[in-house]
Amino acid sequence: MTLQAPVHVDSPTTISSATQTISVLDLFAGAGGLTAGFHAASERYRVARAVEMDTAAAATFDATFGPDLVYRGGIETWLKEEVPPDVDVIIGGPPCQGFSMLGKRDSGDQRNYLWQEYAATILRAQPKYFVVENVAAFAKSQQFHDLSNSTQPDGLLRDYTFEWDILNAADYGAFQARKRAILIGRHRDLPPVGMPQPTHVGAHRTVSEAFKNIPREVTETQLDRRTRVVFGKEMPGAYRPFELHVGREYSELSKLRFPEIPPGGNRFDLPDHLLAPCWRGHTSGSGDVMGRLHWTKPSVTIRTEFFKPEKGRYLHPFEDRAITHYEAAVLQGFPDTHRFVGSKTAIARQIGNAVPIPLGRAISAHLLPLL
């Protein structure tokens, strides 16, 4: 895989800006997608602290960005146990399961209200800027409305305001079309920020570009057995991205289905005897189920179960298999320097939940001159 060199953007206001570090606090850090994006924009960004509840994801952050940076636990517990550091920027994406368009939405899901802990952290850390990313549906949620109200003159975050938009990661150089709600907040003493300008509209990067240096043949189905002890727990890893180029064992039915699906095709191309009973009664609807990625387009959104073709358009464009963890990581923009820890399922969840690195890079490069 060909890696792009980091972009270094110096502040025009200070001579010493090239060496001046910018402190970052990463909340709901996951595998560190946003942090990786910030690092890709400039070496000036330095993570002061990260918070992540999932043990495997926290271990991935630890293996990639260094020990003692990440607090493994919920943000509510962290706020009780530690004093948030004073930082320049807070970044993070509170969990979105309760208002995601996937599955049954639950407006009462307690995870939806973790933005309140995010807001409490802003009050205590007093950053110049903050970045919130979430699913596009977040912009229509009650939680978004409450967050907006909190920046009113009588609100919890009255010293802050924010701008927002729905951004497509493909417009910023990602190999996938992934729309996210992006909020960029600032202290009211600072000038308006705006959104980063798209760089790839009309020239989206494609699956063929992403996969050009990846072997098509996959012979292994299991990760090797190396382990490391992190947070007192022994876990598989750490793995370099290309070491995740492993497949899975498929049922005999799946092995019969895959060859029947042509390039760009999906379940509608299957003969009747290979259809699932639920598909026979549904001749319309999603064309992504059991679909092949389009070779000359960006991929669909990489979700946490990309290794299951029945979950979406996750078949390789030509090979009779789902995309591998390595291919999914490349579509997300993870660099070869990233290190993943956990089981195959845990790593897939980390990859699918991450912010595409090119989108994070665009946001951080946009903020850099202001900092």
Side-chain angles (χ1 to χ4, degrees):
M1 181 179 65
T2 302
L3 296 180
Q4 291 185 321
V7 173
H8 301 292
V9 183
D10 295 335
S11 169
T13 57
T14 29
I15 295 175
S16 62
S17 64
T19 56
Q20 186 178 10
T21 60
I22 301 169
S23 54
V24 180
L25 172 60
D26 192 345
L27 304 177
F28 314 102
L34 261 180
T35 287
F38 271 65
H39 282 189
S42 173
E43 60 188 14
R44 290 173 55 200
Y45 287 109
R46 289 287 182 270
V47 175
R49 196 64 162 143
V51 180
E52 172 52 41
M53 186 172 185
D54 181 86
T55 300
T60 289
F61 197 103
D62 178 275
T64 302
F65 301 111
D68 303 322
L69 285 178
V70 61
Y71 175 91
R72 193 263 305 181
I75 186 173
E76 314 97 309
T77 307
W78 173 69
L79 285 171
K80 294 176 182 177
E81 294 183 356
E82 293 187 8
V83 176
D86 294 335
V87 293
D88 297 305
V89 187
I90 295 179
I91 61 177
C96 60
Q97 285 83 351
F99 40 79
S100 172
M101 296 301 291
L102 291 177
K104 182 179 180 181
R105 282 179 283 177
D106 179 7
S107 60
D109 191 320
Q110 290 302 307
R111 291 172 293 186
N112 290 352
Y113 297 93
L114 290 175
W115 72 265
Q116 295 173 343
E117 275 70 29
Y118 191 117
T121 306
I122 292 172
L123 288 178
R124 295 169 68 177
Q126 290 292 301
K128 297 178 178 71
Y129 300 96
F130 64 87
V131 177
V132 177
E133 70 81 29
N134 222 301
V135 294
F138 175 65
K140 298 181 180 179
S141 70
Q142 181 62 43
Q143 290 70 35
F144 177 88
H145 180 73
D146 293 342
L147 177 59
S148 181
N149 283 342
S150 73
T151 63
Q152 298 303 308
D154 59 346
L156 183 70
L157 294 178
R158 54 185 172 272
D159 291 334
Y160 288 85
T161 186
F162 67 82
E163 299 159 75
W164 71 278
D165 204 348
I166 305 297
L167 304 184
N168 185 349
D171 291 340
Y172 297 89
F175 293 118
Q176 65 173 304
R178 188 186 188 106
K179 292 184 178 181
R180 305 295 284 183
I182 302 296
L183 285 64
I184 301 181
R186 61 179 172 86
H187 197 279
R188 289 189 181 275
D189 291 341
L190 299 171
V193 176
M195 290 287 151
Q197 288 298 308
T199 54
H200 288 69
V201 174
H204 286 166
R205 304 178 75 189
T206 66
V207 172
S208 63
E209 293 179 71
F211 289 1
K212 66 181 179 180
N213 293 325
I214 300 178
R216 290 191 183 183
E217 184 179 5
V218 177
T219 58
E220 301 296 327
T221 60
Q222 299 297 324
L223 300 173
D224 71 37
R225 296 182 178 275
R226 82 185 73 160
T227 60
R228 64 187 284 141
V229 177
V230 190
F231 309 118
K233 183 177 181 180
E234 187 176 17
M235 288 180 284
Y239 301 106
R240 292 170 289 182
F242 70 83
E243 294 178 299
L244 303 176
H245 198 41
V246 296
R248 57 178 294 203
E249 296 290 344
Y250 296 106
S251 68
E252 291 303 317
L253 180 57
S254 291
K255 292 178 182 178
L256 292 173
R257 285 172 171 165
F258 296 163
E260 297 288 341
I261 300 174
N266 53 40
R267 67 180 176 92
F268 298 126
D269 294 295
L270 293 173
D272 185 75
H273 70 281
L274 293 180
L275 292 174
C278 61
W279 294 347
R280 288 194 179 95
H282 294 82
T283 56
S284 61
S286 175
D288 282 340
V289 172
M290 200 65 72
R292 290 191 182 277
L293 289 175
H294 294 286
W295 189 240
T296 58
K297 297 179 181 180
S299 82
V300 297
T301 297
I302 299 301
R303 299 191 175 100
T304 58
E305 293 186 304
F306 57 79
F307 52 90
K308 297 180 180 180
E310 64 273 18
K311 295 291 186 177
R313 188 173 290 277
Y314 298 130
L315 284 176
H316 188 278
F318 306 113
E319 298 298 311
D320 292 332
R321 60 172 175 81
I323 58 173
T324 66
H325 289 52
Y326 178 36
E327 289 164 335
V330 170
L331 291 172
Q332 282 279 53
F334 280 105
D336 285 347
T337 53
H338 219 81
R339 297 294 180 265
F340 291 92
V341 177
S343 65
K344 286 174 65 179
T345 301
I347 293 174
R349 185 168 59 249
Q350 295 170 35
I351 294 171
N353 282 333
V355 180
I357 279 70
L359 179 57
R361 175 179 172 173
I363 294 168
S364 56
H366 179 65
L367 287 175
L368 192 60
L370 304 172
L371 288 160

